[in-house]
Amino acid sequence: MSPRGLYAYASLDAAGEAEAAARRMEARAGLPATAAMFEALVLPLLRPGLKVVEVGCGSGGLARRMVAAHEGIEVWATDKSEGMLAFARRAAADVPARLRFSQWEAGTPWPAELPARVDLVVSAVTTPYLSEPALRRLLAELRERTCLEGHVLFLEQDLASATVAHPDHNLAERISSEHVRLKQPWQGHGLRRYVREAGFSLLPRTSFLWTDDTFSPYLRDLMTRYADDAVTDGLPSAEAARFIAGLEALAVEGECYYGMVYHRVLARVLA
C-alpha cells in the first residue's frame, strides 16, 4: 500500500497507475516553482558537452530541461516503469535526439545502452522508493560510472517541512500530514551519509523551498488523493469534502499555499 496521497511509485506498472502518476508529475514540472528549483539547484552544474544520466526520470520534465540548457548536452533518462517511459517519450517527441530514454531499475547492473562513463548523474526523489541494499548497490555503481571530477546530484524532499494552508488546521493535519512517511534513514539529508560511505566527496548543503499558491492541477490531484485515502482509513466523506472546499475557498481568496523544502545532496568523484 502506498503512503497517503501517493501513487504506487515503486510498482506503477503492476498497479496500473503509471499514466496518472506521470500526468501529475508533468503538471508539477510545469509550475514556476519547479523551473525556479531547476535554475537554483541543477542548472549551475550544467555545461556544454556533458554526458548526463538521470535515475528515475518519471515524466521526463527534468531531462527535457537539462537538454535545453546547453547545446551539446547529452542526457540518458532512465526509469523502471514502462508506462512512465512511454509518457516521457511522447512528451519529448519534439526534443533533440540528444535526449534518450532507457528502462533501468536503480540498484540493478548498469544497462549496456548507457555510456560507460558519465559526467553527471541526477536523481530526483527516487531513493525513498529503494530498499537499503538497492540504494547501496546504486551508489556503488554510480561511483564506478561517474568520471573523475564528475558529480552525482540527488534532489531529496524534506517531508517534515511539508505545509498546507487550510481554514481548519486540525482537519488538514488529520488528512494531509506527511510526517508519517519519514520511515527511511536515507530520506532528505539522511542520504548524505550513504553517499559519503560509497566513496564520494560531499559538497556543502543547498536547499530550496518549493511552493504552490494557486491550487494547481498538481496540488488538486495530490490533496484529493489525500482526502480519498483518508476516507478509506475511516474519515467521514463529509469531512473529506469540507477539506477540499476549504482549499478551494483559499484559492479564490488568493491565500492558497503548499510548500516543501528540497535538499540538494551533491557529491564529487575524486581520485
Side-chain angles (χ1 to χ4, degrees), residues 48-198:
L50 284 186
K51 291 183 178 180
V52 183
V53 164
E54 183 181 3
V55 181
C57 68
S59 69
L62 176 55
R64 298 195 304 274
R65 277 198 165 95
M66 290 191 289
V67 165
H70 294 288
E71 285 291 334
I73 286 182
E74 294 184 271
V75 177
W76 285 260
T78 73
D79 203 284
K80 67 179 287 187
S81 166
E82 293 180 358
M84 274 287 189
L85 288 172
F87 185 100
R89 289 187 177 101
R90 294 196 303 272
D94 297 326
V95 174
R98 293 181 285 109
L99 173 56
R100 307 167 182 89
F101 293 96
S102 179
Q103 188 172 20
W104 180 38
E105 181 175 354
T108 64
W110 190 261
E113 63 266 29
L114 301 186
R117 292 287 185 273
V118 297
D119 304 294
L120 173 65
V121 177
V122 177
S123 176
V125 199
T126 295
T127 60
Y129 303 101
L130 302 178
S131 66
E132 183 171 359
L135 172 64
R136 291 189 181 278
R137 289 194 298 269
L138 171 64
L139 291 172
E141 188 78 77
L142 299 185
R143 179 64 179 80
E144 292 298 317
R145 299 293 181 171
T146 307
C147 298
L148 289 180
E149 301 301 325
H151 294 85
V152 294
L153 163 62
F154 295 93
L155 297 179
E156 300 295 319
Q157 294 174 328
D158 185 343
L159 299 180
S161 71
T163 302
V164 58
H166 196 275
D168 186 336
H169 180 72
N170 291 327
L171 176 61
E173 280 291 299
R174 289 172 60 195
I175 291 179
S176 65
S177 178
E178 294 182 302
H179 70 274
V180 295
R181 290 168 50 196
L182 288 171
K183 297 179 180 179
Q184 309 292 5
W186 54 89
Q187 291 187 236
H189 273 146
L191 181 63
R192 288 173 57 88
R193 176 170 67 87
Y194 291 82
V195 172
R196 182 173 56 249
E197 290 174 355

Side-chain angles (χ1 to χ4, degrees), residues 225-260:
R225 283 183 64 93
Y226 274 141
D228 290 345
D229 289 349
V231 169
T232 300
D233 293 341
L235 183 80
S237 297
E239 290 291 87
R242 187 164 69 86
F243 172 68
I244 298 299
L247 296 173
E248 292 173 337
L250 286 182
V252 171
E253 297 169 8
E255 295 298 328
C256 176
Y257 176 84
Y258 173 80
M260 180 187 291

